Amino acid sequence: MTKETRLIINTCLRYFVLVAVGIVMVYPLIWMFGASFKTNSEIFSSIGFIPLAPTLEGYIRGFKGYEGMTLLFFMANTYKFVIPKVIVTVASAVFTAYGFARFNFLGKRFSFAVLLSTLFLPQVVLNVPQYILFDQIGWLDSYFPLVIPSLFAGDTYFVYMLIQFLRGIPKELEEAAKIDGCNVMQTLWYVIVPMLKPSIVSCALFQFMWASNDFMGPLIYVNTVAKYPVSIFLRMSMDADVGFEWNRVLAMSLIAILPSLVVFFAAQNSFVEGIAAGGVKG
């Protein structure tokens, strides 16, 4: 067997494994799409994703919503706090990461150690003290408890990720900007932020998807049905019926994840570059 033949065989095997794994990972989503057009009885009688008797009943009933509030109403509620949370997360993470990566100040090592230690703190430990705090402030039944912590770099993972990227950016670029007359904020905006764009897009995408799928946060702090996000509405719609209408639930779930899919594919190139980049492109 020649070297070229072995190379072709290895390449074919590699692609075969990748395609097989890809099909296994994507098939649940494909099945979900097909099942949303099935009847309830057909969903449990066939593992195939192509409906034998396609119906739009799941989508029609799903859009009716609850007491005059449609599915789109609850989706709008979701993005009332998701979009501000993404914006403040990116802004606070960039400022905090820049401070830790580029400045020396008293207690820096200790502060950074405390920052990293919060990564190992499970959210369930914080639920009770945070609930008491927001109750005393008067923020319950609002979106403030879901957004304001991110304003103060409460999402430590993103700060740590940006710090790692900043360590790969040569300090000579900032020194050159300083010589040209840039102050700290101008250097951050005109030099650092453009070079951090892939990692910033990664942070924004992660936060967008995590906040959109958040169930426990709104469940704890939001009490009014008219303020529920789509994640709670989906659960509420399942509890409302005796015998779940699974085609309706699947149809609503599919519509609910469409914005996340659109945002992800729209920013896919920057996202992949932000995850894979190990240095700075010249």
Side-chain angles (χ1 to χ4, degrees), residues 150-222:
S150 298
L151 182 62
F152 298 97
D155 302 283
T156 312
Y157 171 77
F158 301 122
V159 177
Y160 179 72
M161 189 171 88
L162 290 176
I163 288 175
Q164 298 306 111
F165 279 96
L166 275 166
R167 286 176 176 171
I169 297 178
K171 293 183 179 180
E172 289 77 11
L173 295 174
E174 296 165 68
E175 293 172 357
K178 186 177 181 180
I179 293 173
D180 289 337
C182 292
N183 57 33
V184 173
M185 292 302 299
Q186 289 173 328
T187 301
L188 175 62
W189 181 253
Y190 292 109
V191 178
I192 301 300
V193 169
M195 303 192 74
L196 281 179
K197 180 184 174 182
S199 56
I200 289 175
V201 171
S202 299
C203 291
L205 279 176
F206 275 126
Q207 186 65 285
F208 184 87
M209 290 186 287
W210 292 347
S212 299
N213 295 329
D214 187 17
F215 177 79
M216 288 302 300
L219 182 66
I220 294 173
Y221 300 117
V222 180

Side-chain angles (χ1 to χ4, degrees), residues 9 35 97 121 125 129 134 139 173 195 264 273:
I9 293 175
L121 201 62
V125 176
F134 294 135
W139 283 358
L173 295 174
M195 303 192 74
F264 174 80
E273 184 179 354

Side-chain angles (χ1 to χ4, degrees), residues 84-180:
K85 186 169 185 175
V86 170
I87 294 173
V88 299
T89 295
V90 170
S92 62
V94 168
F95 279 115
T96 306
Y98 185 57
F100 275 111
R102 287 296 191 262
F103 297 98
N104 293 317
F105 51 87
L106 183 63
K108 175 181 175 180
R109 290 181 179 271
F110 176 76
S111 300
F112 188 65
V114 172
L115 179 74
L116 290 183
S117 67
T118 60
L119 284 171
F120 305 99
L121 201 62
Q123 180 61 37
V124 67
V125 176
L126 303 175
N127 284 340
V128 172
Q130 285 181 341
Y131 183 88
I132 295 173
L133 172 65
F134 294 135
D135 183 28
Q136 293 177 348
I137 296 175
W139 283 358
L140 293 185
D141 200 25
S142 72
Y143 301 134
F144 287 125
L146 305 174
V147 177
I148 298 302
S150 298
L151 182 62
F152 298 97
D155 302 283
T156 312
Y157 171 77
F158 301 122
V159 177
Y160 179 72
M161 189 171 88
L162 290 176
I163 288 175
Q164 298 306 111
F165 279 96
L166 275 166
R167 286 176 176 171
I169 297 178
K171 293 183 179 180
E172 289 77 11
L173 295 174
E174 296 165 68
E175 293 172 357
K178 186 177 181 180
I179 293 173
D180 289 337

Side-chain angles (χ1 to χ4, degrees), residues 25-51:
M25 295 181 66
V26 176
Y27 186 78
L29 185 62
I30 297 175
W31 182 89
M32 177 182 174
F33 175 75
S36 66
F37 295 97
K38 296 181 180 180
T39 61
N40 277 342
S41 58
E42 187 182 350
I43 288 175
F44 293 98
S45 62
S46 172
I47 195 173
F49 64 89
I50 300 177

Side-chain angles (χ1 to χ4, degrees), residues 3 45 48 105 145 188 206 218 224 234 247 253 281:
K3 184 178 180 180
S45 62
F105 51 87
L188 175 62
F206 275 126
T224 304
L234 289 175
N247 56 355
S253 301
K281 292 184 178 180

